[in-house]
Amino acid sequence: MKKFLPVLLLLSVILILSCSTHKFINKDVNPKGKIAVIIGDTKLKSENALYADNFSQALKAGSTLNVLSQKQIKSSLGSYPERIKGPYKIVGVDEQPKPDYSLRDMDSLAAIAKKLNVQYLYTFWIPQAIHAKQAGSEAVQYWYVAELIEFPSRRIIAQGDMNMIYIIKGNTAGPVPRSVEDMCKYFSEIVAKEIIENIGVSR
């Protein structure tokens, strides 16, 4: 099974910051469609909230989609976020989870989409994090998995997973996230840009 990436190596940092994150199964979407960004896991509360806020803002700023804010979502759903069974298997403490999209709780997602009256849900999970120290350097790496789904058709638009990282201390050649706030902003903007460009909803 694939281990978590050696996050403190410069090459790994470069690869993490530059890789494509999603596979696009369908690209024909309603450019004026209503979308909500949904937190699917409650374990890492601060990271989830930061990422969801940043991603929603980036999607709203760069696309023609009608993006609900996290405040609007919470107001409509009440007890939000709640844990939704995600499309992955946890295989070990120090091993990268294995994507398995057959495991996602589609019925719960459909109910959320109906309650929010949205055409699309972008749901993400951050189920695992590794805090690593090596030779005077220190970093935190998160594993992230997400899906963009159309409702009520339940049609999959995109699926993806990636590793997110921020460096607590250590030298790197070039700018990399240095805090959880920087990390969430940096990676959410990368993902939002990739999705906007691939489904053709740029402003």
Side-chain angles (χ1 to χ4, degrees):
M1 185 59 62
K2 184 179 180 181
K3 297 283 186 179
F4 263 73
L5 295 177
V7 296
L8 301 180
L9 297 179
L10 175 59
L11 179 59
S12 297
V13 173
I14 292 171
L15 290 173
I16 290 168
L17 299 184
S18 63
C19 66
S20 177
T21 59
H22 288 72
K23 175 183 178 182
F24 291 85
I25 299 163
N26 293 287
K27 294 188 178 183
D28 54 321
V29 303
N30 176 3
K32 300 290 187 180
K34 194 175 180 182
I35 186 171
V37 176
I38 298 296
I39 298 167
D41 196 284
T42 58
K43 181 165 49 176
L44 299 167
K45 184 177 180 180
S46 177
E47 290 90 335
N48 280 316
L50 283 166
Y51 188 89
D53 278 332
N54 279 284
F55 185 84
S56 298
Q57 291 169 22
L59 203 59
K60 183 175 183 178
S63 79
T64 58
L65 295 169
N66 180 1
V67 184
L68 292 186
S69 70
Q70 289 297 296
K71 185 176 180 179
Q72 288 174 307
I73 293 169
K74 185 169 181 59
S75 177
S76 295
L77 296 182
S79 56
Y80 170 80
E82 290 188 355
R83 192 178 187 284
I84 304 165
K85 185 173 177 59
Y88 56 84
K89 292 179 181 177
I90 298 293
V91 294
V93 174
D94 63 344
E95 293 180 347
Q96 183 165 300
K98 180 181 179 182
D100 186 339
Y101 293 99
S102 68
L103 296 177
R104 126 267 293 145
D105 185 353
M106 183 68 86
D107 290 340
S108 290
L109 295 176
I112 289 171
K114 184 176 181 180
K115 191 166 185 178
L116 293 175
N117 190 30
V118 296
Q119 190 175 359
Y120 301 100
L121 286 185
Y122 182 89
T123 310
F124 71 91
W125 293 261
I126 308 175
Q128 201 162 17
I130 295 292
H131 189 163
K133 296 181 180 180
Q134 177 182 320
S137 296
E138 188 175 356
V140 183
Q141 183 179 2
Y142 299 82
W143 186 74
Y144 169 104
V145 61
E147 287 191 295
L148 175 58
I149 306 175
E150 179 186 81
F151 292 96
S153 66
R154 303 190 178 198
R155 189 170 62 114
I156 307 298
I157 304 300
Q159 296 173 324
D161 70 288
M162 66 177 175
N163 290 286
M164 300 193 298
I165 182 176
Y166 73 91
I167 306 296
I168 298 172
K169 61 180 179 178
N171 296 320
T172 59
V176 296
R178 292 282 179 171
S179 68
V180 66
E181 292 84 4
D182 289 345
M183 179 192 76
C184 288
K185 186 175 189 300
Y186 184 90
F187 283 99
S188 64
E189 289 177 353
I190 287 177
V191 173
K193 182 180 179 182
E194 180 188 34
I195 288 174
I196 288 166
E197 291 178 350
N198 276 276
I199 63 175
V201 293
S202 297
R203 283 193 181 277

